[in-house]
Every structure is written in structure tokens, then in C-alpha cells.
């Protein structure tokens, strides 16, 4: 058994996440670790309203399909990989999923935003750390 026992990969299906997928798979295979792939559905923030149920369902259904496709690709190299789909603030839900999986390593990509965009949107990776 290697250094890590439970690796949690957080993905937003971006190009940065694709690189994180490859790194996570390499670690899982090297260490013989359990592997959990997590995606968090973030609903659009509408001032003083709750998103309509049909919008929530459309977002979660699309994310379910993307997560299933990613997991199918991952399972060619890591057959025991599990998936978790959560809804909420990405950084909070990633940490909650990692705690539930008893993760001892979280792997995620970062978009590398700078300046005003970074100040406005923040960084999920920074908050997870």
C-alpha cells in the first residue's frame, strides 16, 4: 500500500480538471488507493429567488450524464472508482464529500484566474486548501 489510501478527485469538467483526472489516476494506481470522483452542481444565483425546479433538474441531469461519462472513462484504468454528485457551494461540498470518503488526498484543478475575475469569483481550490 502506498502513501494515500483514499483519493478524492473534484471535477468541474474543465480543461484544468482533465489534467487533475490524469494526476489522480496516476496516484491511485501507484498507491492502490480507493478513488472517489466528485462533482458539485452549482445553481445560478438569482437575487431573492429560488431557481425553478425544472432549471435545477436540467442542471443536475446534465451534470449526472457528464459525471457518468467521466466515470466510465476513469473505470478503464481504475475499475473500483466511485462517483459522488452534490449540490451547493463547491468548496464546502468537496470538503464534505472528502470527509465522507475518508479522503486523505483531494486532487482538483485550478483555472488560474487573476485580477478582478479572481477577486469576484474567488478560487474553489484556495477555499478547499
Amino acid at each position: 500500500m502506498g502513501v494515500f489510501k483514499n483519493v478524492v478527485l473534484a471535477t468541474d469538467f474543465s480543461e484544468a480538471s482533465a489534467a487533475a483526472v490524469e494526476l489522480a489516476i496516476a496516484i491511485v494506481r501507484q498507491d492502490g488507493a480507493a478513488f472517489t470522483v466528485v462533482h458539485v452542481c452549482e445553481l445560478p444565483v438569482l437575487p431573492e429567488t429560488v431557481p425553478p425546479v425544472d432549471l435545477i433538474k436540467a442542471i443536475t441531469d446534465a451534470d449526472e450524464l457528464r459525471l457518468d461519462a467521466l466515470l466510465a472513462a476513469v473505470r478503464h484504468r481504475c475499475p473500483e472508482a466511485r462517483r459522488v454528485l452534490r449540490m451547493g457551494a463547491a468548496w464546502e461540498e468537496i470538503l464534505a464529500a472528502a470527509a465522507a470518503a475518508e479522503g486523505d488526498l483531494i486532487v482538483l484543478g485550478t483555472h488560474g484566474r487573476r485580477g478582478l475575475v479572481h477577486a469576484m469569483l474567488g478560487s474553489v481550490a484556495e477555499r478547499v486548501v
Side-chain angles (χ1 to χ4, degrees):
M1 194 68 140
V3 174
F4 300 107
K5 294 179 183 168
N6 297 295
V7 174
V8 175
L9 167 74
T11 182
D12 63 1
F13 309 116
S14 67
E15 194 173 308
S17 285
V21 169
E22 294 306 314
L23 177 61
I25 289 171
I27 294 168
V28 165
R29 291 177 60 131
Q30 175 182 310
D31 287 8
F35 191 25
T36 303
V37 179
V38 178
H39 174 72
V40 179
C41 297
E42 289 191 279
L43 300 176
V45 178
L46 306 171
E48 299 183 26
T49 63
V50 175
V53 172
D54 57 334
L55 176 61
I56 294 170
K57 182 163 177 28
I59 291 170
T60 57
D61 286 353
D63 285 352
E64 287 268 3
L65 290 174
R66 292 173 81 183
L67 187 56
D68 285 344
L70 176 59
L71 193 68
V74 164
R75 282 192 174 150
H76 288 290
R77 294 180 279 170
C78 300
E80 302 299 317
R82 295 173 291 155
R83 71 188 266 305
V84 174
L85 182 69
R86 299 182 72 107
M87 188 179 307
W91 69 274
E92 290 178 326
E93 296 302 327
I94 291 166
L95 290 174
E102 298 180 353
D104 51 359
L105 176 68
I106 301 172
V107 179
L108 68 157
T110 182
H111 295 281
R113 295 184 179 112
R114 302 274 184 250
L116 183 58
V117 172
H118 176 75
M120 296 293 288
L121 297 177
S123 169
V124 171
E126 284 180 0
R127 290 182 175 162
V128 168
V129 170

